[in-house]
Structures are given as C-alpha cells and as structure tokens.
C-alpha cells in the first residue's frame, strides 16, 4: 500500500496535499526568517531550496512514500504553514511527521496541535500504522516542548546526525508515538481540541 493524496480537515484547519496552486500562498507565508532558524535546509525563501524541496516532494509522492501538506486556516482561507508525512513504510507500518513550520503569529496557539492531531489520527486510524516518529534539532527547545505536549515519547539523541547548509553538525532529538501509546495520546488531543486549547 502506498500513501495517496488526502485532505484532512477540522472546523479550524485544513491540510491539503501540496499543489502548484498553493505556491504563492506558501511562499508568502514563508518570508519570516525566524521560521528557518533550525530549518535552514528547508528555507522556502531561497528559490534554489524551494525548487529542490518541490522536486523531493514530487518524487516522494510519485513513489507513494511521502506526502506534503499545506496548512490552511479555515477562517481566513490562507496558507499558514506546511507539514509532511515521509519515509513511509507499509511493511514496517511506520512513517515520520516532519518538515513542519507555521507562521510565527500562530506559535503557541492551537494550530500545531490541531495539525498534528489530524495527522496522527490519519496515521493510526486510517493507515493502521504502528509507529509515527518526529524529530527536531537539539537546539530547538520550542519544537521539543511542542512535540512533548502532544504526548510523544522522547527516545534519545542522534549525535552528529545531520550537516546543515551552513556547515553546522546537528544533533537530533528523536520522538515517537506507537500504537500502544495512541489511546492515551488520542484522548489527550481530543481534550485539547474540545477545550479549544492546544497552545504549543
């Protein structure tokens, strides 16, 4: 089984598979340099990196092992970020959620929690996966707090894991939600959404 394009939605947020029509809104939302402090390899303000990213997304989608989403705020119908499923393995029933960024005005709001809730629900309840992993730069404490708020378990640090475009050798913190974790994580996310909470 391969990943097929799907739209995931709540009353506040839509995750739409990336299409060419989204590019103007995506690039407009990506102009804040603070978004890319720990995501330099993904900096969509750089035309060369944008082109490389779009090619990567296209190849993953054609192979059926990756799917990039744009995050659309329902109230304004504006693109407010992006997130992806990638490194999908039907055999091992796992996927990674990552390449996530949201506009700074939505930091510490409901948006990231809502997006991850939609993605995790899709992964466990529609795809029937056994593991969803997330990872982040060890320096990015805000991202780590946001992931932990979801209920994901910290599994450790991958030392000297990645060389970033500026030459920095990054340590990566790895997290995961497993099928055994999912009932508790699902209840946590449902509570946050029901109370209109979810600041991350």
């Amino acid at each position: 089984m391969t990943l097929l394009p799907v739209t995931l939605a709540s009353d506040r947020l839509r995750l739409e598979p990336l299409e060419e029509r989204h590019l103007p809104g995506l690039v407009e939302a990506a102009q804040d340099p603070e978004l890319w402090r720990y995501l330099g390899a993904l900096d969509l303000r750089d035309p060369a990196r944008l082109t490389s990213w779009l090619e990567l997304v296209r190849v993953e989608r054609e192979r059926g092992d990756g799917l990039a989403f744009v995050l659309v705020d329902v109230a304004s119908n504006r693109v407010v970020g992006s997130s992806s499923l990638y490194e999908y393995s039907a055999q091992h029933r796992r996927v990674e959620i990552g390449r996530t960024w949201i506009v700074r005005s939505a930091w510490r709001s409901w948006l990231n929690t809502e997006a991850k809730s939609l993605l995790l629900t899709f992964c466990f309840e529609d795809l029937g996966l056994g593991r969803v992993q997330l990872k982040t730069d060890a320096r990015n404490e805000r991202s780590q707090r946001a992931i932990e708020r979801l209920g994901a378990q910290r599994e450790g640090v991958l030392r000297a894991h990645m060389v970033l475009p500026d030459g920095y050798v990054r340590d990566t913190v790895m997290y995961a939600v497993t099928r055994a974790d999912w009932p508790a994580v699902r209840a946590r996310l449902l509570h946050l959404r029901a109370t209109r909470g979810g600041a991350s």
Side-chain angles (χ1 to χ4, degrees):
M1 187 169 82
T2 60
L3 278 179
L4 297 174
V6 61
T7 296
L8 309 174
S10 70
D11 61 337
R12 295 191 286 186
L13 187 67
R14 283 195 315 276
L15 275 64
E16 300 177 0
L18 174 66
E19 297 177 2
E20 189 171 347
R21 64 186 175 87
H22 293 117
L23 288 181
L26 196 66
V27 172
E28 180 183 353
Q31 291 308 303
D32 183 349
E34 187 64 20
L35 299 177
W36 313 111
R37 177 180 292 188
Y38 303 112
L39 291 170
L42 187 60
D43 188 341
L44 302 187
R45 298 172 303 156
D46 181 324
R49 288 185 188 148
L50 175 60
T51 299
S52 295
W53 181 67
L54 291 174
E55 178 62 13
L56 173 65
V57 165
R58 183 191 67 77
V59 170
E60 288 178 341
R61 184 166 171 169
E62 287 182 356
R63 285 196 313 241
D65 62 7
L67 186 58
F69 294 93
V70 292
L71 281 53
V72 179
D73 178 38
V74 169
S76 65
N77 203 38
R78 295 188 66 179
V79 173
V80 289
S82 180
S83 193
S84 296
L85 298 176
Y86 57 101
E87 296 187 7
Y88 169 68
S89 170
Q91 177 184 358
H92 298 293
R93 300 196 306 279
R94 68 175 183 237
V95 77
E96 183 161 331
I97 296 174
R99 303 175 189 151
T100 300
W101 60 273
I102 59 174
V103 294
R104 187 162 25 162
S105 61
W107 290 3
R108 299 193 58 77
S109 77
W110 55 269
L111 200 152
N112 181 61
T113 302
E114 190 96 357
K116 294 301 195 302
S117 178
L118 290 168
L119 287 167
L120 286 165
T121 300
F122 174 66
C123 288
F124 285 109
E125 299 186 8
D126 293 295
L127 297 178
L129 300 184
R131 172 185 171 87
V132 178
Q133 64 185 37
L134 308 95
K135 62 178 184 281
T136 188
D137 191 312
R139 299 170 296 172
N140 192 345
E141 295 181 2
R142 183 182 60 81
S143 177
Q144 291 171 55
R145 288 193 302 270
I147 294 170
E148 289 164 4
R149 182 174 174 79
L150 302 172
Q153 297 297 307
R154 180 180 170 127
E155 296 185 324
V157 176
L158 306 177
R159 297 175 300 155
H161 179 235
M162 298 173 66
V163 180
L164 301 184
D166 63 2
Y168 181 81
V169 180
R170 168 183 137 168
D171 292 345
T172 295
V173 185
M174 181 67 73
Y175 293 86
V177 178
T178 66
R179 176 153 295 280
D181 302 328
W182 175 234
V185 171
R186 179 178 182 275
R188 179 187 185 94
L189 294 170
L190 286 173
H191 172 73
L192 288 170
R193 293 173 70 178
T195 58
R196 309 305 258 183
S200 57

